[in-house]
Amino acid sequence: MKVELSRFNASCSCGRKHEISVKNIIIEAQAVRYLKGIIAEYHNPVFLCDSNTKKASQESMGEYFEAYKVLELEGSDIHADDRQVEWVQKRLPSDADVLVAVGSGTIHDITRYMAQERSIPFISVPTAASVDGFVSTVAAMTWQGMKRTIPAVAPVYVLADTDIFAFAPYRLTASGISDLMGKYTALLDWRVSSIVTGEFFCEQINQLELEALGEVEAVLDKIRMQDKESMEKLMYALILSGLAMQMMGNSRPASGAEHHVAHFWEMEILNDKLDALHGEKVSIGLLLCLEHYERLKQAITSGQCRVNGHSGFETEILMQTFGKKGLYEGVLEENGQNILETVRPEVLDNALPLIKEALEELPEAEQMREKLSLAGCVTDMKEIGLQDSLKELTLRLCPYVRRRLTLLRLSKMLDYPGAIPIG
Ligand SMILES: [Zn+2]
Ligand SMILES: [Zn+2]
């Protein structure tokens, strides 16, 4: 399947002309056969992979690995962080003129960062349908302990070869399903922010994503059987989510409070290092947020939700938690002007009925838990080594990892039964 890109580049009903930089996306068996023609234009292509992704793609990619320089990242615990970037910087030839990312999220983030730094293009060969970041223009990196979203470049070509990604370990695929389902709360947060602050919102992007989500939800059982056609639908939906980020120029349509939960745990403020994939953390983040949002919806419906006017920065607890890890300054820097101060209490009060309407479009937490569970995804904090007792403090602190308005952050301005403490 060749993804028809012209529809994403056209003028949009939202009034903007969205632009995407990807030239071609192919999702099919033997998609990597196109690589030969593409890299023939370049003098010194360099491939980036790790030992797992190299092995997983060996059959289809072996001839390229033999013919070109390959940077194989070492070790089993590879992260997109300053340490790995430095490793690549030292080894990447100065005359490399195109990079080929052969891997999943981490390899792509490191590659897109390097491509940006060297001002050269890169080509994406995803080895698993595990994240939505393949075509993203930003790299999710850990920089000196802080999770950051760093401007980078999107690939010029995506060659998603079903013969490679459909055979990835199922845990990776399940993680991709969870990352995708996380769009429900991400899109809700975006809409809510647009309701209360007038933040730009594109209905068409929203619809595109919801459609792709629906298509994947309809074939979750087949994905679990690793049915190729259904796996391609999952890959398409993940890539589409990345395209939505390109169209907006940021990760707004793909990352809301559920991702803040995941990033928060990755920063290891309350917890030790987790042995969990990105999507597995998003999976729990999604369920926690859905549960919490349901409580809010019920409170608004029953008239038990009031604006409390609290918009302060929770300095004391942030110093006690982030501060203990030496990350308080990083939080201040990321947050800049407190985003809650951009919300006028009377506007929020008037917006409650609209927020309720938006919440009614969300899937119910229990239904989502069942779906995820049937699809073999993580649904319980304990599965990723976290105690339930961390739930409340996680929801309280995670909104501070990004300066992005979510309903979770906004809920600090509201009083309702089951509200998270503030102060
Ligand atoms: Zn639009
Ligand atoms: Zn994600």
Side-chain angles (χ1 to χ4, degrees):
M1 168 173 67
K2 184 172 176 292
V3 178
E4 191 43 68
L5 291 174
S6 54
R7 60 193 282 234
F8 304 114
N9 260 325
S11 296
C12 182
S13 56
C14 72
R16 281 195 186 178
K17 188 176 184 308
H18 302 295
E19 277 178 25
I20 54 171
S21 54
V22 186
K23 285 190 195 151
N24 213 336
I25 298 174
I26 293 165
I27 307 171
E28 63 188 32
Q30 294 174 36
V32 296
R33 70 182 186 279
Y34 296 105
L35 195 52
K36 202 171 275 171
I38 297 169
I39 57 178
E41 295 172 31
Y42 299 93
H43 297 293
N44 193 9
V46 175
F47 288 64
L48 268 85
C49 59
D50 63 39
S51 57
N52 289 328
T53 62
K54 188 165 181 239
K55 208 158 78 192
S57 58
Q58 184 65 36
E59 217 177 296
S60 311
M61 299 284 294
E63 54 173 316
Y64 298 106
F65 294 150
E66 267 173 38
Y68 298 99
K69 184 169 179 68
V70 179
L71 290 180
E72 184 180 330
L73 273 63
E74 292 162 350
S76 55
D77 193 29
I78 296 166
H79 295 277
D81 57 18
D82 29 5
R83 210 172 52 90
Q84 288 298 342
V85 163
E86 209 177 293
W87 189 92
V88 177
Q89 279 167 336
K90 278 191 193 138
R91 289 160 183 82
L92 186 63
S94 57
D95 63 344
D97 57 354
V98 65
L99 302 177
V100 184
V102 184
S104 61
T106 307
I107 296 288
H108 275 74
D109 279 329
I110 295 170
T111 307
R112 87 178 74 250
Y113 181 89
M114 289 310 302
Q116 162 93 351
E117 191 177 86
R118 295 285 178 94
S119 305
I120 55 177
F122 93 92
I123 297 158
S124 155
V125 179
T127 52
S130 54
V131 285
D132 68 345
F134 300 120
V135 297
S136 155
T137 48
V138 291
M141 314 281 288
T142 306
W143 224 248
Q144 285 152 1
M146 276 295 283
K147 283 295 290 186
R148 290 198 188 283
T149 307
I150 299 176
V153 288
V156 278
Y157 294 95
V158 180
L159 303 175
D161 193 324
T162 321
D163 288 341
I164 300 174
F165 72 79
F167 296 97
Y170 188 72
R171 185 180 172 192
L172 293 171
T173 307
S175 182
I177 294 172
S178 294
D179 195 24
L180 188 68
M181 293 303 139
K183 306 313 153 208
Y184 275 118
T185 40
L187 292 169
L188 180 280
D189 283 333
W190 185 20
R191 186 186 286 282
V192 167
S193 175
S194 113
I195 293 171
V196 297
T197 68
E199 180 183 338
F200 181 81
F201 182 83
C202 173
E203 196 60 59
Q204 194 170 324
I205 292 179
N206 182 57
Q207 277 311 322
L208 270 173
E209 288 214 42
L210 288 176
E211 270 168 39
L213 270 168
E215 287 209 8
V216 170
E217 277 184 86
V219 295
L220 285 177
D221 51 339
K222 289 189 183 160
I223 293 175
R224 194 155 192 190
M225 314 290 285
Q226 290 178 287
D227 167 65
K228 285 191 177 181
E229 200 183 316
S230 307
M231 295 284 291
E232 285 172 0
K233 280 190 180 163
L234 173 62
M235 182 57 95
Y236 172 74
L238 288 168
I239 288 176
L240 183 75
S241 170
L243 284 177
M245 289 191 250
Q246 268 198 34
M247 289 160 82
M248 280 307 296
N250 58 51
S251 65
R252 185 45 132 162
S255 168
E258 76 299 322
H259 272 73
H260 295 171
V261 171
H263 297 327
F264 178 72
W265 288 334
E266 281 156 16
M267 289 166 74
E268 298 163 26
I269 304 297
L270 304 177
N271 51 282
D272 294 330
K273 195 169 175 49
L274 300 182
D275 174 26
L277 300 169
H278 170 72
E280 294 173 335
K281 287 170 271 189
V282 172
S283 213
I284 306 291
L286 167 66
L287 292 171
L288 295 188
C289 290
L290 283 177
E291 278 169 14
H292 195 75
Y293 287 2
E294 231 160 80
R295 219 171 294 154
L296 251 171
K297 180 179 71 181
Q298 281 155 9
I300 301 175
T301 309
S302 60
Q304 290 180 290
C305 181
R306 304 245 182 291
V307 176
N308 62 24
H310 172 94
S311 60
F313 210 66
E314 295 173 90
T315 306
E316 201 173 316
I317 193 163
L318 289 172
M319 287 179 81
Q320 286 165 5
T321 50
F322 287 88
K324 276 215 173 97
K325 299 275 173 164
L327 294 173
Y328 180 65
E329 292 300 318
V331 168
L332 285 186
E333 198 188 312
E334 168 66 33
N335 278 270
Q337 188 218 355
N338 179 2
I339 198 153
L340 286 187
E341 285 171 10
T342 65
V343 180
R344 301 210 336 256
E346 63 277 17
V347 172
L348 176 58
D349 195 31
N350 289 331
L352 289 177
L354 278 177
I355 294 176
K356 191 194 90 171
E357 258 176 49
L359 284 167
E360 279 162 356
E361 302 292 315
L362 272 185
E364 282 179 20
E366 258 331 289
Q367 280 176 355
M368 182 53 70
R369 186 185 302 280
E370 261 170 49
K371 267 188 191 158
L372 289 172
S373 170
L374 283 172
C377 303
V378 165
T379 56
D380 193 317
M381 284 173 79
K382 288 186 202 72
E383 288 176 76
I384 56 170
L386 288 167
Q387 294 303 315
D388 283 344
S389 56
L390 291 181
K391 205 188 271 190
E392 189 176 275
L393 202 49
T394 293
L395 290 175
R396 179 172 177 184
L397 295 173
C398 76
Y400 290 101
V401 303
R402 284 280 189 285
R403 189 179 192 275
R404 168 166 290 172
L405 193 63
T406 61
L407 181 57
L408 189 59
R409 180 84 182 252
L410 201 57
S411 71
K412 293 179 189 292
M413 294 178 76
L414 300 169
D415 282 336
Y416 53 97
I420 303 160
I422 40 164

